[in-house]
Every structure is written in C-alpha cells, then in structure tokens.
Amino acid sequence: MIDNQRLSKLLFKELKFTPQEIEDKYPQRSLKEGARVTRFAPSPTGFLHIGGLFAAMIAKFTADATDGVFYLRIEDTDKKREIDDGVSEIVDGLNSFGITASEGVLGFEREKGDYGPYEQSKRCDLYHCFANELVKQGLAYPCFCTADELSKLRDEQENQGVNKGYYGEFAKCAQLSIEQIEQNINQGKPYVLRLRSQGQEDKKIVFDDIIKGKIEMPENIQDIVLLKTNGVPTYHFAHAVDDHLMRTTHIVRGDEWISSVPIHIQLFKYCGFKVPKYAHIAPIMKEEDGGKRKLSKRKDPEAAVSYYVQQGFPKQSVIEYLLTLANSNFEEWRKANPNAQQSSFPFNLKKMSVSGALFDLAKLSDVSKNVISLMSADEVLNGTMQWAQKYDTDFYELLNSDMEFAKNILSIDRGTKKPRKDIAKYSEVKDYTRYFYDEIYTPSYTLPENISPKDAALILEKYMEVYDPSDDKNQWFARLKDICQPLGYTPNVKEYKKNPSDFKGHVGDVSTVIRIAITSRVNTPDLHAIMSLLGKEKVMSRLKLAKDVFEEEF
Ligand code: GLU
C-alpha cells in the first residue's frame, strides 16, 4: 500500500479549490420537481452530423417538456481533432434549426450560464481537484509507461490471446512504490494519471436506459487514463466531472457510447457523484443494397446538416421530419393538430425506437411540402430570399426587385382549406414561379395528346377575342365556358363523360390550352390569379405567341 496523501502532495502541488468550494460554486439547480437537465456535448470538429442534430433536438425537447434546462458544452480536450472555428460551426448549425441551448456555449468565446466555463479546455483546475480526490482514496495512480512500452504490452497480450489494455497484472505502474514514483517524477519522466479500477471481470453492472431498457454489461476492469501527460483530462473523466457539476440529470446521446457506460458509472461512483439517468439514441440509418448502414460523413452528403441548409429545406421541416423518426406518434399528432406549434407536441423519450430509424429523403420532402403549404406567403418569401441571397443571387435580385409582386405570387392558393403542397424547399421556388418572370422564363409548349396544335390555336384565337382582364374569377370562368360550344367543346364535364364522341373535349381542355400558353405547364395554381398578376399586356403577348407557335405546327 502506498501513502496516498503523500502521492497526492507529489502530484498536485497547486490546486486552486477544494471539492467543497467547487460543490458550493455549482449548487443544485432550483428547478421544479421532475425538471430534466440535458446537454449536447460535441467535440468541435467543425461538422454537425444530422445524427448530432437529432441527438441535440431530443435532448432539448426532453428538457423543454419538463421545464428543464438544455445546455451546450464543448468537449475540446482532444486538440488533435479540433478545427479552427469548429465551435461556431456547431452553434450556428444548431441555431439554424432552432435547436438553441438556453445555457452554455453560444458561439466563439461566448457563453451564458452559472455552471461554466462550458468548454472543457477551460476547466482543467476543476478536473485536477477531483483527480486529486481519487488519488487520495487510492483510486488513481501515475503511469510512466511510454508509447513503446504500451505497444509492446499490446503485442504480448495478443500473443497470449488475452484482452488488451492496462489492467490487473498488466498494469505495471499500479505496483510502483511511492519512492519509485517520486524518483520518476524527480527525473522529469512524463506520466498520465490512471484510474485504479476495482472492477471485476466476472461481475456485471446493470442500468436502466430510458430508451433501450435494462442493460447488463461486465464491469470495467481497465485502468483507463484520467489525465493525459499534459494534465488535460480524457473525455471519460471530464464528462463525469462536468455532468456532475453542471447538474445534468439525463445523459441523452448516441448509442455508440453504451459500451463506455461501465467506465462512466464507475467514475461517477468513485468520485462520489450521483449517477445520472441515461437515454441512448439509436443512429439514423440509410438503406443500401437491401441492407442498413449508418449515415456516413464520408459517403452521404445528407449526413451533414449543412446539406439541408444548402438545399433550402426550412428548419421546421427538418425538425418535423426528425420528430417523425424520434416519436412515432408525432405524425398522428400533426394530422390532428395541423396548425399547432411544434413545441406543444408532448415529446416523450420513452417513445423513441430502440433500433436505428431509416432516413428517407422522399419522406422529408413530403413533410416539408406540408410545412411550407401552411406557411404564410411572407414566411415563404422570407425563407426563399434568405436562401437565395446565399445560393442563388440572381434569383434573389429578381425577388428583391419587387417583393410585393413575389408575395402576391406566393399568396396564390395559400391560406385555403386545402393549400397546395408543391414546394418542398426554397430552392424550388424559382422553378415554381418561373413563368412570372420573363428574365427566367422561356416558353416551351407540350400539348396533351388529345389536343391538336390546330385546335389549340383555334382556342387561343377565340379566347383572345373575349379575354377581359377586369373579369373576376367567376366571370373569367364563364367566359371560358362561353367559347366551348362554338369550338366543338362542351362546358359541361359530366356531359362530356357521358358522350365523349360528341365533343372534341370539355372546358378543362380549353383551360389547359390557355394555361399552357401562359405558363408552359399543364399544372399550376389558380390560372385566373396568375393571369391577373401577369396583367393584360403579358397575357395577350403570351397567348399570341403560343397561337403562332401552334399554327406553325400544323
Ligand atoms: N464529446 C462526446 C462526443 O463527441 C460526447 C459524448 C457524450 O455525450 O457523453 O460525442
């Protein structure tokens, strides 16, 4: 047995606080009973994966549903993986989807809250203090093994066919006497601080995961590293201290961390911290060649949240879609409450699926069409302009040149009981509105098979004679009906269906020809509204142009 007090003095000469002072500095939060404190704790690698957004969203909604706190902590103890401005990338990524933390890191060198600092690299004094407590209890020791020695150990273990790692009889430095340690330190040998695990291979830990249920795993027997040679903690140790001091009640994170739970529970217990509750989320999967795999940062552009921003998906759409993956009852709730705020959905961690949900871009588009169909014209215009300002500046200028006009276009058929669902992302608005802008519209006509160019030309000729821009919608339609009979069409669709051979077609065909002449499309929102917005001059010139083109065709 070595003298732990002496070891503590040897290793930690200048501690800034006592554990009690720290506990007092970060008191229990005064929240209402049952309020959950959750966090998102990414490394600042500068890439926000859709799985990260998913986890952050679930952590936030879990906290919000209980009037709790959701905070953002940056886990930057591994400087090798960090990129410049990785923090902003993550914060901006989350914010652009409305997953804003009420506490923690807000941006580069910006944070808010009483439990900070929220960047691990700024909390070393705190970690040292708790590491020292472990040393004092004989639960941590310095290890002077070099990289070379460790690699030899691994080879040896491989040859022996035993589990790899630093544990039990292989944990050479666990046996060092205090004199040997002192001598090594005096000689300036670098060392890490290791946990002296009391775990036993044949014993199990059991914990109740809110999503996955009861999980049983072998205890951790590895003497894992707590502090690296430069005194910076490893993720495992830092997160235990932080989740304790920041008073996290529920650790919501990806299920790739389940295998680390035995280490984590051990750390919480050895440090005298209450073990938080766990909720491990299954990853988002992708279907490929009949199988399933995780969405990959390398292979799938849709793995990065920036993809959705670039594509022009509104943030609500992405969140609504992720909610359908998270809680299977969300879709039903949305149907019953089409106009309710997303935040009023009673989010429930227990309803999360145990295995990975399949990501489906087509489904995202459907969800998004619904979301956009319920927006006001102003919202669609603002969203589109924000998107276009960055990704399609020509179109932005076009919209900006007459925003009232743009808003009127987007108002067509909006706000009705059954709004059209044809825009899935802001990048589609250009094509959707194209025929309103001569700058981006090139007429190109394709008639349905049942209408000949000759008949189309006759329809247009006749229509030009009667067209009156001051008509309201009823008068406009009445006029279309009026020209039917002389052209061999019937104004009455039912009548046509009864005796199709008596007519060339019905009023729907007549309006189709006019629609094609004005927009080059067979399917558009309300044609009367479109023509009113375009105005007499443009309407007449488009009717004439189309008539000329059809005449040339026969
Ligand atoms: N920093 C870890 C990560 O990058 C967080 C794991 C956790 O949430 O405990 O995913």
Side-chain angles (χ1 to χ4, degrees), residues 39-45 73-77 81 120 235 239 243 251-254 256-257 264 278 280:
R39 76 327 188 251
F40 181 50
S43 298
T45 51
R73 180 172 77 223
I74 296 293
E75 305 211 322
D76 57 350
T77 56
R81 290 173 58 212
Q120 289 184 328
Y235 151 71
H239 109 282
D243 279 325
I251 293 188
V252 179
R253 63 182 172 192
E256 70 273 23
W257 295 104
H264 296 172
Y278 288 102
H280 284 98

Side-chain angles (χ1 to χ4, degrees), residues 477 480-482 484 489-493 505-512:
F477 194 54
L480 288 189
K481 285 181 166 173
D482 285 349
C484 281
Y489 289 76
T490 166
N492 186 332
V493 181
H506 57 74
V507 63
D509 299 312
V510 172
S511 68
T512 294

